[in-house]
Amino acid sequence: RAVLPARWTLDNFRLALGHDLTVPAIGNSLKFAGASAIVDLVLGVAIAWVIVRSRIAGRRLLDALTMLPLAVPGIVLAFGYLAMSQPGRFFAWLNPVENPTALLIIAYSVRRLPYALRSCSAALQQLHVSLEEAAENLGASKNRTIVRVVVPLMAGGILAGFVTSFLTAAVELSATIMLVTKQSDAPMSYGIYLYMQSIAGRGPGAALGVIAVITVALGTYFSNRLIRNRAAGQDSNPLKTGVHA
């Protein structure tokens, strides 16, 4: 066999996009990855605040536990989720056999939480605590300071955490294989896996993989552009914070 294909064609993209599995799979990927990225952002900001700003005992342990999913294979975590979803167990009420949506979102959230946490922690560490103290001295409550001062100034890190969590969750496969029970609930990564099981489907599977790569590349590019534009706007006017306590 030659290293390069004998001819170039777009028929595989037509076959992939025309299959009944593809369009629902892309929609499922956006739904699962989007929901899990939002969960990761909320948890990432909250945990980053506890680790960076608080003096609560055990916060270093919390940081280590949050990073633990990076060391555990996704398929191992998926087996754990399946065991916990058996009758009488913690996740039994999710009924993953009939609808695995909730369990997939939980799995993606846990797997990608370390990325969101590291982005939020880095953004929070760059904010001097005097900004929060100034807002509180002017009469703002702690919650109002976080919402009106801290979160807007962390926007770059929050956006980076969202994009990283979303894009990596959209192509998650190891946990997906174990948790998906029906093709109608399958995300795009599972669709690629199904296509590649037969020689006849490897062309459309590769085409769908190219679509996934392009999606990740575009998301990364536009997020970087947005972060750079925001940083350039702040550098051009260092006295402008954009927030009011």
Side-chain angles (χ1 to χ4, degrees):
R1 287 181 176 273
V3 175
L4 297 176
R7 65 187 182 91
W8 301 91
T9 178
L10 297 177
D11 288 343
N12 290 323
F13 288 93
R14 178 180 57 81
L15 293 174
L17 295 176
H19 197 280
D20 294 339
L21 171 65
T22 303
V23 175
I26 294 175
N28 288 335
S29 292
L30 296 176
K31 177 175 65 175
F32 300 154
S36 65
I38 293 174
V39 173
D40 284 339
L41 278 190
V42 174
L43 293 178
V45 172
I47 296 174
W49 178 269
V50 172
I51 295 173
V52 177
R53 287 290 191 261
S54 74
R55 294 295 180 265
I56 298 177
R59 64 186 185 279
R60 300 304 176 190
L61 177 60
L62 175 62
D63 188 11
L65 291 176
T66 305
M67 300 302 296
L68 191 59
L70 291 179
V72 181
I75 195 168
V76 175
L77 290 176
F79 273 119
Y81 297 138
L82 289 176
M84 293 176 66
S85 63
Q86 298 302 309
R89 299 295 180 86
F90 183 76
F91 286 145
W93 60 276
L94 294 177
N95 194 14
V97 175
E98 295 297 328
N99 187 0
T101 298
L103 200 56
L104 281 170
I105 292 175
I106 293 174
Y108 290 173
S109 300
V110 172
R111 288 275 289 164
R112 307 307 169 187
L113 180 58
Y115 301 121
L117 176 60
R118 291 276 73 87
S119 296
C120 294
S121 296
L124 186 58
Q125 287 172 348
Q126 296 177 30
L127 300 181
H128 200 279
V129 69
S130 61
L131 295 174
E132 303 164 36
E133 293 173 348
E136 294 176 8
N137 288 336
L138 292 174
S141 63
K142 175 65 72 175
N143 292 336
R144 185 175 178 83
T145 300
I146 294 174
V147 173
R148 298 296 300 276
V149 176
V150 176
V151 172
L153 293 176
M154 289 175 57
I158 291 175
L159 177 61
F162 177 84
V163 172
T164 305
S165 298
F166 176 84
L167 294 179
T168 53
V171 294
E172 167 70 28
L173 178 60
S174 56
T176 303
I177 293 177
M178 298 303 303
L179 298 179
V180 169
T181 56
K182 297 181 294 184
Q183 288 192 9
S184 58
D185 298 320
M188 185 164 54
S189 58
Y190 190 79
I192 297 173
Y193 169 76
L194 291 181
Y195 276 125
M196 301 303 288
Q197 297 305 300
S198 65
I199 297 178
R202 289 178 183 175
L208 195 58
V210 171
I211 294 175
V213 171
I214 292 175
T215 301
V216 173
L218 289 176
T220 303
Y221 171 75
F222 285 114
S223 64
N224 288 335
R225 284 286 302 272
L226 184 61
I227 292 173
R228 289 180 181 177
N229 291 339
R230 178 181 176 85
Q234 291 179 347
D235 292 340
S236 63
N237 189 0
L239 296 179
K240 181 180 178 181
T241 61
V243 294
H244 302 280

